[in-house]
Amino acid sequence: MKIFLGDKLVDEKDAVVSVFDHGLLYGDGVFEGIRAYHGRVFLLDEHIDRLYDSAKAIALDIPMDKAAMAQAVVDTCKANDIADGYIRLVVTRGKGTLGLNPYLCKKAQTIIIAAKIQLYPQELYDNGLKIVTVGTVRNHTEAINPRVKSLNYLNNVMAKIEAINAGCMECLMLNPQGQVAEASGDNVFAIKNGVITTPPSWCGALEGLTRNKVMELAREAGYIVREDVMARYDLYVADEVFLTGTAAEIISVVDIDKRPIGDGKPGKTTRQLRDLYVECTRNEGALIE
Ligand code: PXG
């Protein structure tokens, strides 16, 4: 496998970073998880924009412009013959000292891995997910804003541990005010009487690109789509609930905290939105050439 490291493609065996890299020492850095479908990188510009916004928020200078970064993603896919796959784009603070001070790290480190994707089992799409609310609340917006896709994912990892311990693959995370934020690695939506609602990002949600795409597709299909503050109650009494994310795409939630959602089966609007989304993944994206 070829890995993009720093400013060029290298063999996997040479793709090594320093033990003094602050990405490792402090989780100091940002990342993106991107999909390639049918020889195209889906939502590439949107991922690059979010990466640079995350970097800006943590005062990290990426030593490459956006166009060069987008090209590096495409080149990494091409070098590995990836037409359908998963791309992990990481920018760390780089090599520094054992102290926290990021200003002592001379240059940010860029890593791009293009690999095959491990998909969720089809059974989960057919039957839907059961999730639980976890005790770990999403980061306070003035601690690490959840809009920053940072390398510091312990908040989400702690939530995931609770989900797995409860026998679930995903979970519901609330913000410190007790409002619905998102899942550990996905955004959450509810549908009630034909109105589709998701929490605004200021409630502690990553501004998911799948989320944004689904909102756009749902509006085009004639649905009313709202970003609104949500309580767990809104999810419990919804007709349908679904999660969105680059890896999961769109997946139904059929049970939350032992409350069956709607009739306890994946709903037809979720199915419709999933079909529209899959259609987009066939036709859109930056060509890998
Ligand atoms: N919330 C969080 C906390 C996430 O990490 C999403 C929402 C969905 O955002 P996108 O832009 O993907 O629609 C994410 C994204 C992984 C993996 O390997 C995680 C994500 C994306 C891709 C892969 O677990 N999280």
Side-chain angles (χ1 to χ4, degrees), residues 31-34 47 50 86 88 120 138 146 149 153 156 182-187 205-212 244-247 277:
F31 80 103
E32 284 294 320
I34 311 172
H47 280 288
R50 188 171 65 183
Y86 178 67
R88 174 58 60 92
Y120 282 120
R138 195 73 176 94
K149 202 163 163 62
Y153 249 50
N156 315 64
E182 59 179 341
S184 71
D186 297 290
N187 291 107
L206 179 76
E207 217 168 286
L209 299 180
T210 317
R211 166 190 185 271
N212 292 350
T244 64
T246 297
Y277 184 81

Side-chain angles (χ1 to χ4, degrees), residues 153-169:
Y153 249 50
L154 264 184
N155 182 223
N156 315 64
V157 171
M158 299 316 286
K160 188 85 172 185
I161 288 171
E162 288 188 70
I164 293 166
N165 289 349
C168 295
M169 298 197 47

